[in-house]
Amino acid sequence: QVQLVESGGGLVQPGGSLSLSCAASGSWFTIYPMGWYRQAPGKQRELVASMSSGGNTNYADSVKGRFTISRDNAKTTMYLQMNSLKPEDTAVYYCRAVRQNREYWGQGTQVTVSS
């Protein structure tokens, strides 16, 4: 079984911070999470941040300077540190991994930024 599990979402006030994590596991092979996506109500799913196997990062313009993507040494757990959160960051956040032309998604974790 291949699985991606996100955690760390919740309700936070504007200006606050949250840290998300994504844990990857596979029964017969290892998968590596590569990026965070989010989907707000009525909107398309969008890339938030990605990280290559070599450590190169890419961020959506809307989160640059506020969010930081990182990964553990085994590259099986991925994190998203979110600072200075805004109401427009409210969305379901998803973890994505790709292996051998197969795409894997987590179940998502809800992030709500509201006072």
Side-chain angles (χ1 to χ4, degrees):
Q1 185 178 9
V2 175
Q3 198 170 75
L4 293 171
V5 179
E6 302 97 334
S7 61
L11 176 64
V12 64
Q13 294 183 1
S17 298
L18 281 175
S19 183
L20 307 182
S21 64
C22 170
S25 62
S27 298
W28 300 102
F29 55 87
T30 304
I31 58 172
Y32 305 97
M34 302 292 286
W36 288 98
Y37 292 72
R38 69 185 181 187
Q39 188 166 23
K43 295 189 176 182
Q44 301 260 36
R45 185 174 297 185
E46 65 175 350
L47 174 69
V48 177
S50 63
M51 191 172 191
S52 71
S53 59
N56 294 326
T57 58
N58 184 49
Y59 296 91
D61 288 341
S62 60
V63 307
K64 285 181 179 177
R66 300 189 297 120
F67 291 10
T68 303
I69 189 171
S70 62
R71 206 156 50 202
D72 66 0
N73 290 334
K75 299 182 179 181
T76 54
T77 302
M78 184 175 67
Y79 306 92
L80 185 68
Q81 178 64 46
M82 305 184 294
N83 299 324
S84 301
L85 284 161
K86 305 174 180 179
E88 51 263 44
D89 295 318
T90 296
V92 178
Y93 285 70
Y94 297 92
C95 177
R96 187 185 77 103
V98 176
R99 183 183 185 274
Q100 296 183 341
N101 206 35
R102 179 79 160 86
E103 188 175 51
Y104 303 91
W105 291 92
Q107 83 289 346
T109 185
Q110 176 71 49
V111 172
T112 302
V113 184
S114 176
S115 60

